[in-house]
Amino acid sequence: MRRLAPQVLGALVRRYGHFDAAEDAVQEALLAAARQWPGEGRPRNPRGWLIRVASRRLVDQLRADDARRRREETAAALTPRDAFTAPPPGEDRAPAEEDTLALLFLCCGAELSTEARTALTLRAVGGLTTAEIARAHLVPEATTAQRISRAKRQIKASGAPFGLPDAQEHADRLADVLHVLYLIFNEGYTATSGRDLQRPDLAAEAIRLTRSVHRLLPADAEVAGLLALMLLTDARRAARTTPDGSLVPLAEQDRTRWDRAAVTEGVALLTDALTRARPGPYQLSAAIAAVHDEAARDEDTDWPQILALYEVLIRVVPGPAEQLGHAVAVAMVHGPRRALALLSALDGDGRLAGHHRLEAVRAHLLERAGDLPEARAAYARAAGLTLSIPERRYLQARAARIGE
């Protein structure tokens, strides 16, 4: 259903317009499917079923508004008779993937602010809840809800056509599209809340969408870099948790469980991308991931190379996540005390206020430095800030281990 939702929404927007009303209709169709399919069985053509149900909901809403009656009748007249039937075997009449890509680029329209583009795309294409989006952006949930509502109104008012943009529009919107795909992947790789550390379906959807963009723009090095980064990171998924769902840190993972096919593909993509243009942030992040993945054991990790890559990365993108990664690399090369001094500069960064990662990194560095009481307190603070149950349990266990 997560994979089909943006396709169904894209089909409705392409056929009827009315982005906000179409999204409501798709949500109702998904709810109906969640209620009916477990008992009645999944239909032979799930996408067609969802389009049919969502279209009925949308048409009912349009009929309630006399001012839109003419538009509804025109849209119905233009709808092919076989629109809601499954195509013959071996054929795929509906441009499902193109609809998803078109929806992705529509949500990243130039008339929207960067924050609105990201929030709307995570909602419409990624399927994240408003709370998850707010957590990913480190902003209040009410602010995120307002951004999404405002973005829908702006798209409706702009009259922007539904479809894949031309080459110039690709270039204008691509940075926002890649940023949104990266956020979707991050939420799938490490969920911001809930009982599960990972949401593999969401990470897989981000990889699938990024592959689609890569097919659309095969010569773009940063698109290839992002796909490589996702593959190299997702390759470790099987080793990141124990059978009971507990978190396993990178240094303690069983590397024989890493997906070596994904690592090979990611390294090949990255190697090719690095020959085309000056490395961008996704290529640099993928290079860091590749150094980790190519080490047979944790103690074989080439930390000086990772530090050198981070020092280039923070000059390109001096964001808080990049600064935290740089601090860890500094600790591994020059010792934890030097890295702790770097963290002090991040204490005043409002983007990290109330976020657990700064305290978690501080606790790790304090533990390495031998300052156990302060490390235990930092682990406890980090555990109190995260909404992820596996991360909270891991941080609490680290604090308890120090206490023992």
Side-chain angles (χ1 to χ4, degrees):
M1 287 170 64
R2 181 182 301 281
R3 179 178 60 83
L4 292 175
Q7 299 176 13
V8 176
L9 178 57
L12 262 67
V13 174
R14 176 164 51 86
R15 184 170 296 127
Y16 298 107
H18 304 287
F19 188 102
D20 50 349
E23 188 188 32
D24 291 341
V26 172
Q27 293 299 319
E28 291 186 30
L30 292 172
L31 181 59
R35 289 172 173 167
Q36 296 180 34
W37 292 2
E40 301 176 6
R42 189 172 65 177
R44 190 170 61 179
N45 181 18
R47 181 174 179 272
W49 190 98
L50 289 168
I51 290 177
R52 182 173 64 252
V53 173
S55 296
R56 286 175 179 171
R57 300 289 198 278
L58 182 57
V59 168
D60 287 344
Q61 182 175 347
L62 294 176
R63 283 176 176 166
D65 188 349
D66 290 338
R68 298 177 182 175
R69 185 178 299 277
R70 184 172 299 178
R71 184 179 297 177
E72 174 224 329
E73 292 172 349
T74 301
L78 294 174
T79 301
R81 291 185 179 181
D82 63 347
F84 305 121
T85 59
E91 296 183 17
D92 188 7
R93 179 189 62 252
E97 189 147 311
E98 280 198 6
D99 280 353
T100 301
L101 278 175
L103 184 63
L104 185 62
F105 277 93
L106 178 66
C107 292
C108 292
E111 65 275 3
L112 302 177
S113 68
T114 300
E115 294 81 4
R117 293 175 194 169
T118 306
L120 180 62
T121 309
L122 289 170
R123 183 73 183 87
V125 182
L128 272 66
T129 66
T130 304
E132 289 168 341
I133 299 167
R135 187 71 178 170
H137 281 85
L138 308 178
V139 298
E141 186 174 346
T143 301
T144 299
Q146 291 172 354
R147 287 175 180 172
I148 293 173
S149 298
R150 191 181 306 118
K152 292 178 187 176
R153 291 195 298 270
Q154 287 178 279
I155 287 180
K156 180 180 178 181
S158 72
F162 184 83
L164 288 174
D166 59 28
Q168 183 57 47
E169 287 181 300
H170 275 158
D172 293 341
R173 302 187 195 179
L174 187 58
D176 292 299
V177 168
L178 297 184
H179 179 62
V180 168
L181 291 173
Y182 183 52
L183 287 177
I184 295 173
F185 175 80
N186 281 344
E187 180 62 30
Y189 189 69
T190 303
T192 55
S193 61
R195 301 187 62 84
D196 298 320
L197 178 69
Q198 306 175 97
R199 297 174 61 179
D201 57 336
L202 199 55
E205 179 68 4
I207 293 173
R208 187 186 71 82
L209 289 170
T210 307
R211 285 191 188 279
S212 298
V213 178
H214 181 53
R215 283 193 293 270
L216 190 66
L217 301 169
D220 191 285
E222 270 295 81
V223 174
L226 177 59
L227 180 56
L229 174 60
M230 290 181 179
L231 292 170
L232 291 164
T233 307
D234 193 59
R236 311 171 199 147
R237 173 163 34 97
R240 293 185 68 226
T241 55
T242 61
D244 66 359
S246 299
L247 183 153
V248 180
L250 179 62
E252 299 174 18
Q253 289 175 16
D254 178 1
R255 299 186 177 215
T256 63
R257 300 184 63 199
W258 288 2
D259 185 344
R260 287 297 161 187
V263 172
T264 300
E265 183 184 1
V267 169
L269 278 166
L270 175 63
T271 302
D272 180 63
L274 290 172
T275 64
R276 297 187 207 161
R278 185 176 181 178
Y282 295 119
Q283 294 169 74
L284 291 168
S285 297
I288 292 169
V291 176
H292 280 295
D293 287 6
E294 290 178 328
R297 303 173 302 166
D298 178 64
E299 53 266 35
D300 297 331
T301 303
D302 189 345
W303 281 105
Q305 184 179 0
I306 290 176
L307 177 58
L309 288 166
Y310 263 118
E311 287 176 348
V312 177
L313 179 60
I314 62 174
R315 287 199 295 268
V316 177
V317 184
E322 292 77 15
Q323 297 281 359
L324 285 175
H326 174 249
V328 172
V330 167
M332 299 302 294
V333 176
H334 299 297
R337 292 294 176 189
R338 187 163 167 181
L340 284 165
L342 295 175
L343 289 191
S344 299
L346 293 174
D347 286 334
D349 192 325
R351 293 170 294 180
L352 289 173
H355 204 276
H356 73 285
R357 298 215 179 277
L358 176 60
E359 289 303 318
V361 171
R362 193 193 316 276
H364 171 69
L365 297 179
L366 287 167
E367 184 179 5
R368 285 180 59 86
D371 194 344
L372 300 186
E374 288 297 322
R376 183 182 183 188
Y379 276 127
R381 288 195 299 271
L385 291 171
T386 182
L387 299 179
S388 167
I389 294 175
E391 285 190 319
R392 182 185 306 147
R393 288 174 176 167
Y394 170 77
L395 294 165
Q396 289 172 337
R398 298 292 296 191
R401 186 184 309 174
I402 291 174
E404 292 170 359

